[in-house]
């Protein structure tokens, strides 16, 4: 998450920095009125110097653009609603920026301003007509790309704000659930505490089985012993009488 946001933010800010650098020339053609040949000539000289930059600077620009696009596309794979909304719009603006830069800026820089400009040191010599339209078109394309990339940064900032709000709401809901569970636990503990004395009173009301003393147990054993002996002697006498009567 943090690495993805860093990739998008750094790449977009880097590209915006490059486009803001072109303000040196773009301000002369877009925001200066009336538009004079001197303004166009100054902007054309700047674009010519930028078009002859070393090759490695072009590769750095391409690499940074790739990092930003990959970071945006990876965030959409998470499938969350916020990612689809914010990152989907960011991808749209990012693709629009790449399309405008590739279809308008790159051809003008590589085909028009990469060759040496005609020498027009005198103010009396008009600015070449074949350079007028490409110069104005470059400034317009830079402005479109700058606005689109600014929108990408604003969308990413909006996503971060929305995620913070969601995190705060989730934390509040979890805290409320914990408080509810704590109240339910306390109420159940209180109910068990109120029922416990009643159970103890009921248990105390049940009479415990009486236990006889040792002397009482000895008296009982003495009274039951003769009865058992008499019954056994009577049975012996009856059996003996029956045996004596049999021979006669």
């Amino acid at each position: 998450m943090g690495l993805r946001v860093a990739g998008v933010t750094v790449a977009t800010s880097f590209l915006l920095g490059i486009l803001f650098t072109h303000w040196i020339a773009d301000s002369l053609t877009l925001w200066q009125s009336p538009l004079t040949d001197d303004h166009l000539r100054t902007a054309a000289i700047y674009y010519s110097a930028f078009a002859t930059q070393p090759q490695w600077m072009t590769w750095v620009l391409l690499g940074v653009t790739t990092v930003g696009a990959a970071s945006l596309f990876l965030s959409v794979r998470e499938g969350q609603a916020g990612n689809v909304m914010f990152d989907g719009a960011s991808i749209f603006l990012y693709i629009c920026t790449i399309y405008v830069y590739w279809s308008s800026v790159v051809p003008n820089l590589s085909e028009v301003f990469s060759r040496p400009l005609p020498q027009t040191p005198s103010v009396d010599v008009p600015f070449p007509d074949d350079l007028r339209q490409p110069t104005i078109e470059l400034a317009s394309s830079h402005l479109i790309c700058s606005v689109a990339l600014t929108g990408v940064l604003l969308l990413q900032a909006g996503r971060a704000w929305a995620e913070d709000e969601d995190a705060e709401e989730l934390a509040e809901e979890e805290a409320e659930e914990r408080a509810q569970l704590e109240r339910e636990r306390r109420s159940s503990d209180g109910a068990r505490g109120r029922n416990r004395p009643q159970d103890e009173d009921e248990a105390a009301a049940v009479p415990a089985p009486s236990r006889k003393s040792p002397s009482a147990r000895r008296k009982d054993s003495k009274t039951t012993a003769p009865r058992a002996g008499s019954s056994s002697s009577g049975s012996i006498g009856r059996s003996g009488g029956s045996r004596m009567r049999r021979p006669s």
Side-chain angles (χ1 to χ4, degrees), residues 160-176 178:
W161 176 80
E163 288 180 350
D164 291 340
E165 290 292 327
D166 292 342
E168 291 179 359
E169 292 180 359
L170 182 61
E172 291 177 358
E173 292 178 357
E174 291 179 352
E176 185 176 355
R178 288 195 297 268

Side-chain angles (χ1 to χ4, degrees), residues 5-170:
V5 173
V8 175
T9 305
V10 171
T12 306
S13 301
F14 181 84
L15 298 176
L16 272 176
I18 294 177
L19 293 173
F20 287 158
T21 305
H22 300 328
W23 185 255
I24 299 172
D26 297 341
S27 62
L28 299 176
T29 55
L30 293 178
W31 309 106
Q32 294 289 338
S33 182
L35 181 62
T36 62
D37 289 346
D38 289 339
H39 296 160
L40 293 173
R41 188 176 295 107
T42 303
I45 293 173
Y46 171 82
Y47 294 143
S48 178
F50 184 77
T52 57
Q53 64 182 346
Q55 189 68 23
W56 65 268
M57 296 182 66
T58 304
W59 288 108
V60 169
L61 180 62
L62 180 61
V64 172
T65 305
T66 304
V67 169
S71 300
L72 285 174
F73 279 105
L74 286 176
S75 64
V76 176
R77 293 182 59 187
E78 298 178 3
Q80 299 179 2
N83 297 345
V84 174
M85 183 175 64
F86 289 103
D87 291 338
S90 299
I91 289 174
F92 174 77
L93 293 177
Y94 206 86
I95 291 176
C96 289
T97 302
I98 295 175
Y99 175 78
V100 171
Y101 198 88
W102 187 262
S103 62
S104 178
V105 176
V106 173
N108 284 325
L109 289 177
S110 60
E111 297 174 5
V112 178
F113 293 98
S114 60
R115 63 177 184 265
L117 296 177
Q119 300 296 326
T120 56
S122 176
V123 294
D124 297 332
V125 178
F127 186 74
D129 292 335
D130 59 340
L131 293 179
R132 181 180 295 271
Q133 185 63 30
T135 304
I136 298 175
E137 187 176 349
L138 271 178
S140 302
S141 300
H142 288 159
L143 179 61
I144 294 173
C145 294
S146 299
V147 172
L149 291 178
T150 303
V152 173
L153 287 181
L154 291 177
L155 286 170
Q156 294 301 309
R159 178 189 173 181
W161 176 80
E163 288 180 350
D164 291 340
E165 290 292 327
D166 292 342
E168 291 179 359
E169 292 180 359
L170 182 61

Side-chain angles (χ1 to χ4, degrees), residues 158-198:
R159 178 189 173 181
W161 176 80
E163 288 180 350
D164 291 340
E165 290 292 327
D166 292 342
E168 291 179 359
E169 292 180 359
L170 182 61
E172 291 177 358
E173 292 178 357
E174 291 179 352
E176 185 176 355
E177 290 178 359
R178 288 195 297 268
Q180 181 67 22
L181 292 175
E182 183 66 20
R183 287 193 296 268
E184 292 178 356
R185 186 184 65 81
R186 290 180 179 178
S187 62
S188 62
D189 291 344
R192 286 196 298 268
R194 288 191 298 270
N195 293 333
R196 189 175 301 164
Q198 183 177 359

